[in-house]
Amino acid sequence: MISVTIKTGVLVIGGGITGAGILWDLALRGIDAVLIEQKEPAYGATGRCHGLLHGGCRYLVKDSAVAAECYRENKILQSVAKGAIENTGGYFVQVKGDDPGYVEQWLNLAGKTGIPVKEIDIQTAIKEEPLLAVQNIERVFTVPDAAVDPFDLTLMNLTGATQRGAKVFTNTRVEELIITGNQIRGAVVKDLASGESYSIHADIVVNAAGAWAASIAAKAGIRLNMKYGKGTLVVFAQRLTKRVINRLRKPGDGDIIVPAKSVCLLGTTDIPVSSPDDLDPTAAEITKMLNIGEEMFDHLSEKRILRTFAGIRPLYTGDNNNGEQNREISRGFAVINHEKDAVDGFYSIVGGKLTTYRLMAEQLVDVVAEKLGVKNPCQTAETVLPQPVAGQVKLAVEEPMLCECEQVTVQDLERACELPFCRDLHTIRKITRLGLGPCQGTFCIWRAVMLLYENQRISAAECRQLLQEFLAERGKGSCFTLWGDQLKQYELARGIYLNNFQLGDAADEI
Ligand SMILES: Cc1cc2nc3c(=O)[nH]c(=O)nc-3n(C[C@H](O)[C@H](O)[C@H](O)COP(=O)(O)OP(=O)(O)OC[C@H]3O[C@@H](n4cnc5c(N)ncnc54)[C@H](O)[C@@H]3O)c2cc1C
């Protein structure tokens, strides 16, 4: 039997950056809201993206309106979400063989759109970024790109919203939508830890489920035309560049490198897949990206690679699905009022970018607020988000360290556990960056799990399960990049986990 346990104004489905941004906007306007996420925050595309806060230049030629949107949002986020952003700046680099006609068109559109782009001489660029392949570089331009930590950004939005009274339920899946007549009434959800199902009654339901949005809409009998583009990324063990570096040509595979805290990411591919759960990188994708990367960066393939991962782009094709290739589909977004599908009070938000999430949330909440008769205007462009909870670089610490690579202390772990939406090791990892550095959890994950056990947050059986889950996940990402120093690291980790914890099967996967 299903019991009614919660009533709210707005139910938001999806704890990626879009859902988190919507919750923060609703909370600032004083609208009562609950967010449901089936796994941990940023489980979907948000936690699997490149972390490039676009200055807009990548989209200039394909869609200059999206480019201008990215530039405006980039500037806003640099003032309200400083804690998640590193203002690295960026280069766009024309490599021998790249179309000079494209470069001229790009420059012309940058001028028209007002995005500041400046050519610099090649020697200056090489001095700043010694990895650039000097013999291949033709022209270099500075652009207003930056690096953003998608975990921090999502968690900062959720923290701000919960501090203002919003509620977040993670590891909880929306199973059914409750509709009477043509009016949405809420949803039936299932707590995946306890197995308990309950209903949440709401005046409005917002579908912010990213690549899963079509499956949520289908629960109301509504068809959303979506395509899924799998993008694989390669994580290097160190920062190889100071800036975001893009290839200056029609967007393609493996043409961007983004520094991200202690590592950097090369990406990405764009492969059509039929399901949002098709998340496995392939060896062919990695080889292809490294080969392309070598045209812009010297000896890239010899650098130590930590792992790879893939995410799914939620691409909305609209009502006219005219067979465009994934890279041709706009990175713009759509707010859909399903009154047009005879379901009142139900809205979907699809497409878009991490960079434009705040604007997406603003436009969605404008529509919802009007429906609810709330007059309070959007405040997310002026209100500074709370700082990230943990994982900040520390120059001197007295506290015992859990993770030396990422400077995560025992107190960081404890602070993370206090957050209302932190229910598992995946969330702790995203809050603190535990296990994300060069040793990939060899020394820190078991220490963290033991500490959780000592503090009576988990049982002995859960300890083992958590270690196994973590190692299995790491194993998936490591298997195509095990050579050189990373292979030695892998063998060391295997030794530690096999000998100390008898985790034979899981350790074989790392
Ligand atoms: C490889 C790759 C690289 C990218 N790089 C960049 C970049 O550098 N810069 C940029 O600006 N953008 C980038 N993007 C785009 C960006 O990541 C996405 O546009 C953005 O993260 C989408 O966020 P979202 O919240 O809409 O979706 P998601 O992050 O996918 O969130 C949807 C959430 O809904 C949850 N959910 C689904 N079904 C249910 C259910 N039944 N019940 C409860 N919860 C449910 C999922 O678990 C998921 O957490 C990239 C995308 C990819 C794939």
Side-chain angles (χ1 to χ4, degrees), residues 451-466:
L451 198 68
L452 292 173
Y453 174 68
E454 268 175 34
N455 294 349
Q456 297 177 353
R457 290 187 185 274
I458 55 172
S459 67
E462 283 170 315
C463 274
R464 195 176 173 80
Q465 192 194 333
L466 282 179

Side-chain angles (χ1 to χ4, degrees), residues 14 16-18 37-38 45-46 49-50 52 174 209 212 216 352 354-355:
I17 191 59
T18 309
E37 165 53 48
Q38 63 178 350
T46 302
C49 84
H50 218 152
L52 165 49
V174 170
W212 294 269
I216 297 291
L354 180 89
T355 305

Side-chain angles (χ1 to χ4, degrees), residues 168-343:
V168 175
F169 296 93
T170 51
N171 297 324
T172 303
R173 191 171 57 216
V174 170
E175 306 269 84
E176 287 168 38
L177 296 175
I178 306 168
I179 301 167
T180 44
N182 67 349
Q183 181 65 48
I184 199 117
R185 303 277 177 207
V188 177
V189 304
K190 183 174 186 178
D191 182 325
L192 299 176
S194 68
E196 187 201 353
S197 290
Y198 53 96
S199 65
I200 300 180
H201 282 194
D203 301 321
I204 303 275
V205 174
V206 172
N207 172 13
W212 294 269
S215 71
I216 297 291
K219 294 181 195 298
I222 296 167
R223 184 182 162 84
L224 277 186
N225 285 325
M226 305 222 17
K227 282 194 171 179
Y228 308 115
K230 183 184 72 164
T232 289
L233 290 139
V234 176
V235 186
F236 289 91
Q238 69 204 87
R239 289 171 71 112
L240 298 172
T241 62
K242 288 190 239 169
R243 293 166 183 73
V244 175
I245 302 192
N246 302 253
R247 181 95 172 244
L248 181 39
R249 64 172 180 183
K250 191 173 169 211
D253 291 348
D255 54 6
I256 308 179
I257 214 162
V258 180
K261 300 214 164 143
S262 58
V263 299
C264 73
L265 285 78
L266 171 74
T268 161
T269 51
D270 195 344
I271 297 183
V273 290
S274 54
S275 155
D277 297 299
D278 186 348
L279 288 169
D280 292 332
T282 62
E285 285 175 277
I286 294 151
T287 309
K288 183 178 182 196
M289 278 198 290
L290 289 174
N291 287 340
I292 294 172
E294 288 252 337
E295 293 168 12
M296 189 156 61
F297 302 110
D298 270 335
H299 307 295
L300 189 66
S301 307
E302 292 161 28
K303 307 293 178 197
R304 180 172 165 188
I305 296 173
L306 290 183
R307 69 197 148 87
T308 62
F309 62 86
I312 304 293
R313 290 185 185 83
L315 304 171
Y316 178 59
T317 56
D319 289 338
N320 308 316
N321 187 354
N322 48 17
E324 292 164 300
Q325 296 295 304
N326 282 358
R327 285 207 195 271
E328 305 303 322
I329 298 171
S330 167
R331 271 25 176 188
F333 62 89
V335 172
I336 304 160
N337 181 345
H338 292 297
E339 213 176 325
K340 76 174 178 60
D341 303 302
V343 185

